[in-house]
Structures are given as structure tokens and as C-alpha cells.
Amino acid sequence: MLTSDLVVHDVHRWLLSQGFVHVTEETRCYAYDGSIQCNHVEVPIRLSFLDLVFQELPDIHLREPRPEKLCHPLPHVDHQGKLCYLDMESYRLDPYQPTKTIVTLLEQARRVLIGSLSGANSDDVGYEFRLYWDASDCGVVLSNHQSGHSIKYNRLEYQSPTGTTHKQLVVGTDEEIEAYRKWRNGKLMVLENRSALWININTTALLPEKGPWPPQNFRAFHEWLKSVSPAADQSLQKGLGTKVGAQSPLLVVLNTRGGFVSIEAVLPESLSTLTRHPSRFRKQLLMDKGRFGTKFIRGFLDDFSPKFLTTRNLPGSGLSGKRIVVVGLGTIGGYLSRLLVQSGAGQGSGQLILYDEQILSTGNIGRHYLDGSYLYENKAEACRHKLSEEYPTAQILARKKHFEHINDMRQVDFIIDATGREPFSLSLNSQAIQRHHANLPCPPILYIWIDGNGYCGRTLYYDGSGGCYRCLQDLSGKDRFEPLKSMKDLVPMSNQCSESYIPYPPSASVQTAGMGLEAVLDWVNGSPGAFFRSRRFHKKARKHKDHRLTPQEGCPACQS
């Protein structure tokens, strides 16, 4: 057992030796009151933990009453006095050495507190500001805007796919709000979209040097904003003097480096006439401490803009603004299309164009991105529909026909051949070679397919500078990179009504699609890397190093 009476006793005994006192009245967890010496300041804390398995990080709170030096807002200390001293995802807590682990955690807490007290951590607040805001409202931001400008907002009520009812603030343009409402199949709670003031804050030191925190009324909010960012406060005051800023409720959205927060001020009916006089309205708000019945509500706003959703997890640039063609929406193409959209395809001025003339059959469903609800639908149109349901801002086009000629792709940035059909791939390869030899523009092509009974996945990038698709074979037509260790393991295709079929699990499709996305992202970031890539999914498959494919000497396609 990781947690036993003996283990707990050892930690208990060590904490007592360090001057901690066991809090016996706390029955929900183990709790100890003590202090941490931070240079010349003794910081009283409460250490609490559920167990010593460390599935959760032990809590450390500053105890009340605090010394004078700890009464002002501190970085890494939230409004409830909880200390954020470690990211559990980036640190290993050893349950087999619990006392040593507790010692290490308290030392880390001490370092964080020293930095907070000295001001060394002041800039950290800008990147975790929402933790200090203590919000009671929530919502989403659909797009970014310039500081001082107005932006529309409304409140939406909708049910999630699981049946949960949500009510949230929605900030964006009229068109964005309406599109979001339709996508959520929700109901707007206000007849007309109201306008909010949008304020950008570029500074990172956002905690006040003194005074209560967070702000409880508009005057405290204004004084805080003026102290941390005079430019932002100037934008606020300018906005309050306009018709947009003189309304009740008044919503102000703050775009900080740590995310979006908001405040909403609602004047009582007795002061409602002030909205007809912007200057008097501004004066009232700037002096308002809540004593006239003005409501003051703080909120969190999550970034739901297409740019954030599609680039947050990418180490480099995404696919926004690119026109990408996917030919073949089969077992690989469907999954790959979704990965492309998640990486920005179809956003901005870009488009994702899907080609497939086939319908979804019962035999496809077991390992396809599409489910049974799209049975007998054209694969390209069905994928477009499903992707648009999941990512409504993406520009996705469906072509329910066979891809004809590369000459029609002059405005395309990238072509993906996910058909897995060698005759088509050879034809596309030939068209590309002709254009390269004639010094005509030709988008790069990525061939992607599953090989060797589904035991490996492969991609080939071709932009005219390396080996072509036909160069994967020697002059006799034999594979230069055999997929299987022994050809005895090759399972013959099953043929039924002219439909070839090889059984393999959907994991092969998903892994191959992921490999294809890696190749596309390498291209968009300016470094295609290995042109030929191979991943084995089974021990019967051969290992082949990723490399830049060299042309096959005498290749009948590119060397003739």
C-alpha cells in the first residue's frame, strides 16, 4: 500500500519537527498549520492533502490574519489565499518517498513566495490573470478587436449534445453571434445585440500595490486599470463618453495576455435616465462605489475564435489561408481532413476542397471518420457536412466527382492524394512531372496510403526536386522499400462485386492520417523534411528510415 498508517505517521512526525501543528478539527483531509520563512518574512500557511499517493497536489493556503506585508494582492496567490506553487503536469511526485516529496514541495512554495514578495514574479500575473479575477459570469469571445472599439454581445441559452442547459455571454460581430447561435441551436436572450467596449491590456504586472482585490465596484475597477495601464484606462474613459459606452448594462471586455475577462455594470432604474447623457453617465460610473445600487459583475470569457482553436496546439504556423485539396475521402482521407481543419485548413482566406465520387457503404463504416448516419451519402459531401457541423467557420467545398486534371489546380497551394489507388497516383504523378519539366507552376503533392496488409502507413512528398511516385519502384516494377519482412505474410485482397478489400483495424487509418498531417505541417512551416516516410504498425512490417527519396535511375516517369 502506498498510503498506510506508518507512512502517514512518518510525514506527521517530520511536520511536527518543523513546527507544524496538526489541525484535528479538519476531518475532510490531513491539515497542518505552520509557517515558511521567506527571507525576513514569516509566512503563516496551512498545508492540506487528501492522501500521500499525490494524485492531487497538496494545497497550501496563506492563513489569516496575515502579516501586513502579505495583505496586498500577491502573484501566485488567488483571492482565497491559495498558493499556486507548482504545475503538477511538469513535476513528478514520488508516493514512495512521501516525506521527501513534502519537503521538496514546501521548498518550492518558499521560492515562489519569495519571488512574489520581492516583486520578481509580478509579470507572471499577466499570463494567469484569470485566476485572480474571481468571476461569476462566463462566456466566449468569437474574434479579436482593436482597443477602444465597440463590439456586439448577447446572451445565449442552448442545450449541449448531452442535454445540459448552458447560458453564456457571447461576444463578436452580429454575423458571428448569429452563426454561433445557429451552430449551438440556441436562443438569444436579448432581442438586439448590445455593444460592449473592447480594451486591450499589454502589460503583465496587473496586481495593484494596495487596496482590496479584485475590484468590487466600477470606481475600484477604474482606479485599478488606471494604475496598471494608463493607455487602457484612457481607452475606457473615451469609450464611456460615447453613445456605446453610455448604456446599462455596460459591458467592458479586457483582452489580457492571460486571456479575456469582463466586467458588467448595471445601473438601477432610478439612474436609467443617465444613459441619455454620456458625460453624466461617465461621471456617475467613475465615482460609483456601488452605494446607489449599481450591480458590478466580473466574468471569464474563453477564446472561441477560429485562430485560437486551430493554432493553439501547433508549434509553428497553421494552415489558415492555404487552399488545400484532398482527393479520396476513404479510410485515411476522412480522418486526415478533420486533422487538417483542426490545424487551420479552411480558415481565413483558405479553403479545404474535398474530391470523391463514391458513396459511403456499410463496409466503410467500421474504419471511417463518417458514421452510419451518412450511409449511402457521397463521401466528399458527407465529410464536408460533418466537418462544417464541428467547425462552422471553416470554408470547406465538396466535389462529388473524380479529380480530373492538375491543370485546374493553379490557385491551389497543396494537393493530397489519399486515394490509395496506384493507377490514379501514377496519373497524377505524370501530370505533375509534365508541369515541372515545362517550368509551369505546380502545387506540391502528398501521396498517402496504407501498405502491407495495413501493417504500415506511408507518405511521399513531391515538389519536383526529389524522387517521384514512380521512383518508389525499380525499373522492373518491384518495390524499392518492401513493406513486409516476408511476402508470405501478404494477405490477398478480398474481391466482392469488383470491390477490393484488405482487413485491418481503424488504428492504421488514424495513425497514417496523423503521419500525413505531420508532413503537411512540415511543408507549411518551410521545411518538408523527409520526403518519404514510413511507419510500421506491426512486427511483421519492415522498418524503413524516413529520408529524402532520390530519383530511381532510368525512372520511366521522371527520368525519361
Side-chain angles (χ1 to χ4, degrees), residues 56 87 95 104 107 141 153 165 170 173 279 315 365 493 501 512 514:
E56 295 183 8
D87 180 3
T104 302
E107 174 58 24
V141 169
Y153 78 94
T165 299
V170 184
T173 65
S279 60
I365 294 173
M493 288 186 178
Y501 175 73
T512 304

Side-chain angles (χ1 to χ4, degrees), residues 110-285:
R110 189 181 74 87
R111 292 174 183 172
V112 172
L113 281 169
I114 289 175
S116 297
L117 288 167
S118 67
N121 294 339
S122 60
D123 283 347
D124 293 352
V125 177
Y127 300 100
E128 54 184 30
F129 184 62
R130 285 160 47 112
L131 298 176
Y132 304 89
W133 198 239
D134 188 24
S136 58
D137 200 5
C138 64
V140 293
V141 169
L142 304 178
S143 55
N144 265 290
H145 302 274
Q146 292 183 355
S147 188
H149 285 209
S150 63
I151 184 65
K152 294 300 180 70
Y153 78 94
N154 208 311
R155 292 189 178 273
L156 180 72
E157 181 177 348
Y158 68 92
Q159 281 195 332
S160 72
T162 60
T164 305
T165 299
H166 293 271
K167 295 180 180 179
Q168 64 178 191
L169 185 66
V170 184
V171 179
T173 65
D174 286 332
E175 295 77 12
E176 290 168 342
I177 293 173
E178 176 59 18
Y180 186 78
R181 182 201 66 78
K182 287 183 178 179
W183 179 61
R184 287 293 195 186
N185 193 27
K187 177 183 177 181
L188 293 177
M189 301 171 67
V190 182
L191 293 179
E192 294 182 0
N193 290 334
R194 297 170 174 157
S195 296
L197 294 179
W198 183 281
I199 307 294
N200 293 333
I201 302 180
N202 296 319
T203 185
T204 53
L206 293 177
L207 287 182
E209 295 182 358
K210 59 181 180 179
W213 181 261
Q216 303 296 320
N217 53 66
F218 199 91
R219 179 171 178 174
F221 166 72
H222 156 62
E223 290 177 347
W224 160 76
L225 188 63
K226 184 177 181 180
S227 68
V228 298
S229 178
D233 182 65
Q234 187 176 5
S235 296
L236 172 66
Q237 293 202 52
K238 184 178 180 180
L240 291 178
T242 65
K243 184 177 180 180
V244 169
Q247 57 182 334
S248 180
L250 168 68
L251 183 73
V252 180
V253 177
L254 301 181
N255 178 15
T256 77
R257 296 191 183 184
F260 298 100
V261 298
S262 67
I263 63 100
E264 186 175 26
V266 185
L267 268 64
E269 291 187 8
S270 60
L271 298 176
S272 61
T273 57
L274 289 177
T275 58
R276 295 195 293 268
H277 308 283
S279 60
R280 293 174 60 191
F281 180 87
R282 177 172 63 178
K283 183 178 180 180
Q284 167 66 34
L285 274 182

Side-chain angles (χ1 to χ4, degrees), residues 393-454:
T393 60
Q395 297 295 315
I396 306 171
L397 304 178
R399 300 287 185 259
K400 301 187 288 184
K401 62 180 182 179
H402 179 71
F403 182 92
E404 295 179 356
H405 206 282
I406 203 170
N407 288 343
D408 300 327
M409 300 292 108
R410 296 173 187 173
Q411 303 302 317
V412 167
D413 297 301
F414 200 85
I415 297 176
I416 299 172
D417 172 12
T419 63
R421 298 198 297 267
E422 188 174 271
F424 173 80
S425 299
L426 286 172
S427 174
L428 183 64
N429 183 64
S430 177
Q431 295 176 37
I433 291 170
Q434 291 177 20
R435 294 193 67 83
H436 284 298
H437 285 178
N439 292 321
L440 296 173
C442 181
I445 299 174
L446 181 73
Y447 302 92
I448 180 169
W449 69 101
I450 291 175
D451 215 338
N453 300 342

Side-chain angles (χ1 to χ4, degrees), residues 326-340 367-369 383 416-420 446-451 456-459 504 506 508-517 537:
V326 178
V327 185
L329 277 299
T331 183
I332 298 174
Y335 290 115
L336 179 54
S337 295
R338 188 179 196 273
L339 293 175
L340 293 171
R367 61 186 186 200
H368 205 283
Y369 163 63
C383 282
I416 299 172
D417 172 12
T419 63
L446 181 73
Y447 302 92
I448 180 169
W449 69 101
I450 291 175
D451 215 338
C456 63
R458 293 179 162 184
T459 66
Y504 55 81
S509 308
V510 174
Q511 292 179 83
T512 304
M515 182 171 60
L517 177 66
F537 311 138

